[in-house]
Amino acid sequence: GAVVSQHPSWVICKSGTSVKIECRSLDFQATTMFWYRQFPKQSLMLMATSNEGSKATYEQGVEKDKFLINHASLTLSTLTVTSAHPEDSSFYICSARSGRDTEAFFGQGTRLTVV
Amino acid sequence: GQNIDQPTEMTATEGAIVQINCTYQTSGFNGLFWYQQHAGEAPTFLSYNVLDGLEEKGRFSSFLSRSKGYSYLLLKELQMKDSASYLCAVLDSNYQLIWGAGTKLIIKP
């Protein structure tokens, strides 16, 4: 299957700082990328959907000014958690698909811990 | 509203067969996916059904009935490594993925 690379795999940051997470599709063009958050023992929660070259669509309750998403090319999307707080500590996962009716492939996930 | 239901947890014995059910009510339907997720890892793709019937892929099979809004994932010859969460997801009319909460499968020796 297609490969989606997410970096970093884990990060620890101080409260108030910003963290950037990258998601790259290595062998296909990702027209759509999804960002999810998953708290321990809970299901995936979609944060936002981004199409290349356009602004991301955020789910209700997700602060767009706090979670900045950029999808500038067909192979790269970034999620920046700004002014991180301990409650932002979670597992962040990106997924990408090349067409609207194809499966989405997931990155490895990023475990964020804010101290 | 859109809704996907699957059991929260199931237990099965190594070497046995287990069926994980998924029922859905969505605005439109453009396919159903099953993913496997081990604890602390990202989900991995297992199957995709868009037409009624059974799709077999090795030890895993997935079935779909669109008229009943129902799917199941069948795992045969269970191995300890199959202990994971299994997520059902439906593509709605807008090609948005709607996720179930996942079924935690526990395999016992």
Side-chain angles (χ1 to χ4, degrees):
Chain A
V3 178
V4 174
S5 176
Q6 186 173 339
H7 177 81
S9 299
W10 60 270
V11 58
I12 301 173
C13 71
K14 289 186 176 180
S15 187
T17 61
S18 295
V19 174
K20 179 185 282 189
I21 303 169
E22 289 189 351
C23 181
R24 293 179 185 273
S25 57
L26 298 186
D27 52 3
F28 69 101
Q29 293 186 324
T31 55
T32 308
M33 285 191 172
F34 306 90
W35 286 97
Y36 295 88
R37 183 166 51 183
Q38 188 175 34
F39 292 105
K41 299 184 180 180
Q42 294 187 25
S43 186
L44 297 170
M45 188 187 80
L46 180 65
M47 298 175 68
T49 302
S50 72
N51 294 297
E52 184 265 337
S54 58
K55 288 184 178 180
T57 303
Y58 288 80
E59 295 299 300
Q60 195 172 10
V62 178
E63 301 172 59
K64 63 176 75 173
D65 294 330
K66 180 173 180 61
F67 299 98
L68 302 178
I69 292 172
N70 183 282
H71 190 172
S73 77
L74 283 170
T75 59
L76 174 65
S77 177
T78 60
L79 167 67
T80 302
V81 183
T82 63
S83 187
H85 291 284
E87 56 264 32
D88 298 324
S89 298
S90 184
F91 191 48
Y92 291 86
I93 312 174
C94 73
S95 73
R97 66 183 189 199
S98 58
R100 62 180 188 173
D101 59 350
T102 62
E103 66 267 34
F105 296 95
F106 284 82
Q108 304 94 317
T110 298
R111 187 158 301 283
L112 171 64
T113 302
V114 184
V115 297
Chain B
Q2 312 215 79
N3 195 48
I4 296 186
D5 286 315
Q6 48 181 135
T8 305
E9 187 174 296
M10 298 182 70
T11 303
T13 305
E14 190 177 15
I17 299 174
V18 71
Q19 177 175 311
I20 303 174
N21 295 325
C22 171
T23 58
Y24 62 89
Q25 292 174 305
T26 56
S27 56
F29 178 84
N30 282 299
L32 184 145
F33 297 90
W34 283 97
Y35 283 82
Q36 180 191 61
Q37 185 179 25
H38 286 100
E41 298 181 13
T44 55
F45 169 76
L46 290 179
S47 67
Y48 171 62
N49 293 67
V50 67
L51 299 176
D52 289 350
L54 185 69
E55 297 268 349
E56 298 187 71
K57 194 185 293 185
R59 294 190 298 115
F60 293 6
S61 303
S62 56
F63 172 83
L64 174 67
S65 169
R66 289 172 296 173
S67 62
K68 295 181 179 178
Y70 168 70
S71 172
Y72 67 71
L73 180 69
L74 190 73
L75 293 77
K76 303 176 186 176
E77 301 168 20
L78 286 170
Q79 301 174 9
M80 297 303 293
K81 67 177 183 180
D82 296 329
S83 292
S85 285
Y86 291 85
L87 304 169
C88 172
V90 171
L91 266 180
D92 70 7
S93 57
N94 294 318
Y95 292 90
Q96 297 293 325
L97 264 177
I98 312 298
W99 291 89
T103 298
K104 182 178 180 181
L105 178 62
I106 300 169
I107 310 294
K108 294 185 175 180

